[in-house]
Structure formats: structure tokens, C-alpha cells
Amino acid sequence: NIGAHLSGNAETAKGGQPCFLPCSEISLVLEVLNVTLAVNRLTLLVPVSMSSASEPLTRLSTGVASGELCVTVWLFFVQSPFLFARLGSTKFLAIMIPLTHLYFSTITVANFFIAAISIIRAGGFRLEVVIQSMQCLAAIATLGVTLINTYGIVPLVLKENQRFARERSDFGFNDERAFLNEIASNTKAKIVHLASFALLVLTVVGLAAHIICS
């Protein structure tokens, strides 16, 4: 019984002789034990408190990422091919150009929010912490890809599409094959369209990785 030993009771040593601890040493040992127990309690309680405090933000971040993923897949991988085949190139571009502006403006803000919440949840913007968090890496990579696409590639894509729509409307053409042929024959238009599509696929992959790791 440790308490009995520390209170000054005799403890039999290996030679069979009793030994006693002085009162000053007993007080010191008790003080050390108290401090150790207090530190252990704090060590156990602080992560739990931080985890419970960040739980609503984590759920909100995951919800935003899930919504963005659904909208991205629906808008560009499901709806766009259907509308393109149904409406023709001119009417399709008239709808998709403003939608694309709105989409990329919105997801840029959303991905900033997701990345910020992931960094806070990981423990702050420290390189060693960020590298160890797959969720944080996925969020930051998705944000980077989105910024490149939004401000570097998409404006070029929209510029080419607006030029095509303007030329075709002047001649009354609304043929999706003409649009595809125009893209295929124009090297610049083909490169920017493929680059934007590739970055969009990376955005989907990054969002999915963030959701899985949350």
C-alpha cells in the first residue's frame, strides 16, 4: 500500500530491517504525485475538449465538400452532355457560360472554407501537422487546383466559347458537331478545354479524398 508507506509506516527491506521515510521526503513525493496526476488529467481532457469543440465545424466542412462534389459531378459530367446534345451548341453555351462563372466563383469560396477548417482541425498551420493530415492535404490540394482553374484556365475557355457562340449566332448555326470541330481544329481552344477538364477531375478526386478522410 503506497499510502501506508508514505504516511511513515514501516516497510520491510530485503534484509528484514524496517525502514522509514522522513516527513520532508514524504511531503515532496506527495507533491510530485499530485502534480503528475493533475498533468495526466489535463493531457487526457484537452484533446477530448478540442475534438468535441471542432466536431460541428468538421461536419459543416464535410457537408460543404459533399454538396460541392454532387454539384460538380451533376453540372459537368451529367447535365452538360445531355444539354449539349439536346439544345445544340449555341443555346448550350448561352446557358453554361453564366453557370460556369457562378460555379467557379462559389467553389473558390467554399474550398477556402474547407481548407481553413481542415487546418484548424489538424492543429494549426504548421508544416509538420499539415503533412501528417491526409484530410488537410486533400483540402489544400483541391483549393490550389480550383484557384489555377478559376483564374488561369476557365477565363480562356469562356473566351473561346464566347467567340464561338458569337460567330455561330451571326450565321444562325446551332450545330454541336461544328462546335466540336472548331475546338478540335483550334490548338489553343483544345488545350485550354482539356486542361480545364483535367483540373475539374482533380477537383472531384480531392473533394472525394477529403470526405473519405474526414
Side-chain angles (χ1 to χ4, degrees):
N1 189 316
I2 296 176
H5 297 330
L6 294 178
S7 63
N9 291 337
E11 179 184 1
T12 303
K14 288 183 179 180
Q17 297 297 325
C19 59
F20 297 91
L21 290 174
C23 291
S24 59
E25 292 187 12
I26 292 173
S27 300
L28 180 61
V29 172
L30 286 173
E31 194 65 32
V32 171
L33 285 175
N34 287 334
V35 172
T36 304
L37 289 173
V39 171
N40 286 339
R41 289 194 190 100
L42 288 175
T43 305
L44 290 172
L45 289 175
V46 168
V48 174
S49 302
M50 291 179 63
S51 176
S52 60
S54 64
E55 189 65 26
L57 289 177
T58 303
R59 291 181 179 178
L60 181 59
S61 170
T62 304
V64 171
S66 301
E68 183 183 335
L69 178 62
C70 292
V71 170
T72 302
V73 172
W74 170 258
L75 184 62
F76 292 101
F77 298 94
V78 178
Q79 177 184 263
S80 291
F82 173 78
L83 289 180
F84 185 73
R86 185 72 179 268
L87 300 177
S89 60
T90 303
K91 292 180 180 179
F92 169 77
L93 291 176
I95 294 172
M96 284 304 297
I97 288 174
L99 274 180
T100 303
H101 271 297
L102 177 62
Y103 167 81
F104 279 99
S105 300
T106 304
I107 69 161
T108 301
V109 176
N111 286 337
F112 265 114
F113 171 79
I114 293 170
I117 296 302
S118 299
I119 291 171
I120 293 172
R121 185 171 181 266
F125 196 76
R126 300 195 305 273
L127 185 60
E128 64 274 11
V129 173
V130 172
I131 290 176
Q132 293 176 358
S133 173
M134 289 301 297
Q135 185 186 35
C136 208
L137 289 175
I140 294 174
T142 303
L143 175 61
V145 168
T146 301
L147 291 175
I148 294 171
N149 210 2
T150 301
Y151 298 106
I153 307 299
V154 169
L156 299 176
V157 172
L158 295 180
K159 183 179 178 181
E160 291 296 323
N161 290 346
Q162 287 169 345
R163 179 185 62 79
F164 176 85
R166 184 171 56 251
E167 291 175 356
R168 295 303 171 186
S169 62
D170 291 342
F171 293 99
F173 293 147
N174 189 34
D175 184 7
E176 60 270 16
R177 289 185 179 179
F179 175 73
L180 295 176
N181 290 334
E182 177 76 12
I183 297 298
S185 61
N186 188 323
T187 303
K188 180 182 176 181
K190 182 166 62 175
I191 290 174
V192 295
H193 276 82
L194 289 176
S196 181
F197 180 78
L199 292 175
L200 202 59
V201 171
L202 290 177
T203 300
V204 170
V205 173
L207 290 171
H210 174 81
I211 295 168
I212 292 171
C213 295
S214 63

